[in-house]
Amino acid sequence: MKISVIGCGYLGAVHAASMAKLGHDVVAVDVDPVKIERLAAGDAPFFEPGLPEILAEAIASGRIRFTTDMAEVAGARVHFVAVGTPQGPTGAADLTYVDAAVAGLVPYLSDGEFVVGKSTVPVGTAARLAASVSESVPGATLVWNPEFLREGFAVQDTISPDRLVYGVPSGAAGDAAVAALDEVYATTLADGTPRLVVDLATAELVKVSANAFLATKISFINAMAEIAEVVGADVTALADAIGHDERIGRKFLNAGLGFGGGCLPKDIRAFQARATELGVGESLDFLADVDAINLRRRAHVVTLAQDLLDGAVAGKRVGVLGLAFKPNSDDVRDSPALDIAARLVELGATVSAYDPQANGTAARIRPELTYVDSADAAVRDADLVLVLTEWNEFRTLDPARVAGLVARPVVVDGRNCLDRDAWTAAGFTVRGMGR
Ligand code: UDX
C-alpha cells in the first residue's frame, strides 16, 4: 500500500521504516531538512536499536523516500500523523504541530483516503480534526491509531505490538477505515496481535490512560521506597514479593529515580489539564501526587549526594554514570539523570558525566557539565559516584577496578542496578533507593 508518514521524530521515523519493513511503499515527511537528509542517507538521527538496519533495508529496497515537500504525499491511501505533542506552558499539550500537519496535508488529500493520527493527543482532538478533514475533503476520513512504543524497543513494538487500537467513526466510513488499517497491519495481525476497534475518544483515552497507569505504578513503588528508607526496609524485596501476585505483577515496579522521557511526564500533565477543561479535574487529582512523588526522587538523590559529601558540595568531584532517561536510548528529555547532574553543578560540584549514547544530546541542553567518553574517565578521582541510568555497561562494571580509580569509594545506585554485595566487598559505601 502507498503510505505517507508525517513527522520523522522518535515515533514517525520508526513508524515509516517499520511500514516499509512490512512491505509498504512509504513517503516520509518532516519540516526539518537536516533530519530528512540524514534519514535519506540511512543515518538515523537518534539512537534506537534496530532502526539503522530496517532503515538501510527500506532504502535499499526502494520502498521508502524522505522529503520536506508535503505535496509528495499525494496518492497515498493512508496518511499517518506522527508529529510531537510537547508540553505547553500550562502543562496542556501543545497541538501546534498536529494542527499544522493536518492542515498541511488536507490540500493533497483525496476521497477514499485516510488520515490516521498516531500522536498522543488530548481527548476530543480527533473529533475536532475529523470535522475539519471532512469539511475540506468529504470523502476522506480521519481515524486515530495510538502508538504504544517504548524507546529502546521501538521497532519491535511497532512491528509486533501488544495490541492495535483503531479509533474510528461509526458507519461505512469507519468500516472502510478498519479495512484499510487491517491491510496496513496484515502481517502484524497474522501473528495474532489483538486488535480493538473503538470510537475516537476511547482511542485517545486508551493511550493517555495507559501512560497514566504506568506512571502511577512507578510512583507507587517509589512512594514505598520513601517509606522503606525511613524504616530500613528493602523496596526491591518488597516489589519482588508483591509482584508475585498476578493481579499486581512485577513489571514497572522498579524503584529508583522515577520516570522521565518524552512521554510519561508530559502525558500525565496534559491529561490533568484536559480533565480540568472538561470539568472532571478531580478524577485525575491523584496524578498530581504521582508527578510530585516522581519529582521528589530527584531531590532525594541531590540531598543524599550532599550528605555523602559531608554537606560541602562546592569543589567536590562527582562522577555521573548515565544521562539518558533510560538505557538503550539517547533521549534526555525530562531525564531524571541529567536533571540531577545539572543540579549538582548548580551546587558547585565538578561533574564528569558519561553516557554510552546520550553525551551529545545532553551536551546540547546542559553544556555546563563536563562530558567524558568512558565510565573510567567519569569516575576518576571522584569523591562520589552516581549511577543514574541502568545501562548494562554500568551493571557489569568491576567494582574493584572502579575502587582503584576514585578518590573516595562512595556510590549512589539511583536505579538499584548494581550488585550491592560485590560493590560493598570492593570497599564501597553503597546507597540504593529505598533499600
Ligand atoms: C512509555 C510507555 O512505556 C510507552 O508505552 C508509551 O508509548 C510511551 O511512553 P518510554 O517513555 O519509551 O515509553 O519509556 P518506559 O520504558 O515506559 O520508561 C519510562 C520511564 O519510567 C523511564 O524513565 C524509566 O526509567 C522509568 N521506569 C520504568 C522506572 O522508573 N521504573 C520502572 O519500573 C519502569
Side-chain angles (χ1 to χ4, degrees):
M1 189 188 288
K2 188 172 176 201
I3 283 175
S4 83
V5 178
I6 298 152
C8 290
Y10 284 93
L11 165 58
V14 172
H15 193 69
S18 300
M19 292 300 104
K21 170 89 185 160
L22 292 178
H24 302 299
D25 183 12
V26 182
V27 56
V29 190
D30 199 285
V31 292
D32 178 353
V34 176
K35 200 181 274 179
I36 287 298
E37 207 171 295
R38 287 188 62 177
L39 282 162
D43 177 16
F46 49 85
F47 176 76
E48 181 61 46
L51 178 59
E53 291 79 2
I54 62 163
L55 190 57
E57 194 185 314
I59 292 169
S61 70
R63 281 199 300 270
I64 199 163
R65 67 178 198 287
F66 293 95
T67 178
T68 52
D69 182 4
M70 188 70 101
E72 292 195 39
V73 307
R77 198 164 139 221
V78 167
H79 305 271
F80 285 105
V81 175
V83 294
T85 51
Q87 184 177 321
T90 62
D94 175 357
L95 295 176
T96 314
Y97 305 107
V98 172
D99 289 346
V102 173
L105 168 64
V106 159
Y108 305 104
L109 206 54
S110 300
D111 288 349
E113 294 178 2
F114 301 93
V115 181
V116 182
K118 291 208 80 69
S119 310
T120 303
V121 290
V123 57
T125 306
R128 173 172 66 76
L129 294 173
S132 83
V133 163
S134 32
E135 198 175 298
S136 309
V137 190
T141 306
L142 180 136
V143 302
W144 221 260
N145 168 220
E147 184 56 61
F148 304 101
L149 66 79
R150 298 160 295 169
E151 287 177 30
F153 300 91
V155 174
Q156 178 193 321
D157 285 351
T158 304
I159 291 172
S160 314
D162 290 339
R163 76 295 208 187
L164 287 164
V165 174
Y166 304 170
V168 301
S170 55
D175 294 345
V178 171
L181 285 173
D182 278 355
E183 227 178 295
V184 170
Y185 295 118
T187 313
T188 305
L189 291 168
D191 289 342
T193 303
R195 175 265 247 167
L196 294 99
V197 179
V198 298
D199 55 75
L200 291 176
T202 304
E204 293 166 308
L205 276 179
V206 167
K207 173 59 196 254
V208 285
S209 59
N211 278 356
F213 190 88
L214 293 171
T216 303
K217 210 171 170 189
I218 298 169
S219 278
F220 173 83
I221 202 65
N222 280 328
M224 296 308 110
E226 292 182 339
I227 311 277
E229 271 151 22
V230 171
V231 299
D234 182 343
V235 77
T236 304
L238 171 84
D240 290 343
I242 63 173
H244 279 294
D245 183 331
E246 279 182 11
R247 294 169 302 174
I248 296 172
R250 180 63 179 82
K251 289 183 184 162
F252 265 66
L253 281 186
N254 293 323
L257 302 179
F259 55 84
C263 294
L264 299 190
K266 70 141 173 104
D267 287 352
I268 61 167
R269 292 168 198 153
F271 197 11
Q272 290 171 84
R274 184 62 182 141
T276 303
E277 278 170 19
L278 294 166
V280 283
E282 237 177 26
S283 305
L284 297 183
D285 274 352
F286 71 96
L287 287 180
D289 275 330
V290 166
D291 204 357
I293 293 165
N294 193 55
L295 295 177
R296 278 208 297 271
R297 300 312 293 163
R298 305 174 187 190
H300 170 72
V301 170
V302 173
T303 307
L304 184 59
Q306 284 173 304
D307 291 349
L308 292 167
L309 294 169
D310 305 319
V313 179
K316 295 281 170 57
R317 299 183 63 88
V318 178
V320 163
L321 299 179
L323 296 164
F325 84 105
K326 69 173 192 181
N328 299 313
S329 173
D330 64 357
D331 196 348
V332 292
R333 287 176 294 173
D334 216 334
S335 169
L338 186 55
D339 190 10
I340 289 165
R343 289 196 212 185
L344 289 170
V345 172
E346 259 168 44
L347 292 171
T350 301
V351 173
S352 281
Y354 166 69
D355 187 284
Q357 292 295 336
N359 276 13
T361 44
R364 280 204 282 281
I365 52 173
R366 291 290 189 187
E368 65 269 34
L369 271 61
T370 303
Y371 296 93
V372 294
D373 58 11
S374 70
D376 282 6
V379 303
R380 191 163 289 128
D381 300 326
D383 297 300
L384 173 66
V385 174
L386 304 181
V387 179
L388 302 181
T389 314
E390 68 276 34
W391 285 92
N392 257 341
E393 184 179 334
F394 306 146
R395 288 178 190 275
T396 56
L397 278 172
D398 173 7
R401 212 171 46 78
V402 178
L405 296 171
V406 296
R408 288 170 72 222
V410 186
V411 63
V412 173
D413 181 4
R415 293 290 184 179
N416 289 340
C417 63
L418 302 180
D419 178 341
R420 253 195 316 189
D421 294 340
W423 282 73
T424 308
F428 272 90
T429 299
V430 184
R431 297 295 293 272
M433 300 289 101
R435 337 175 60 180

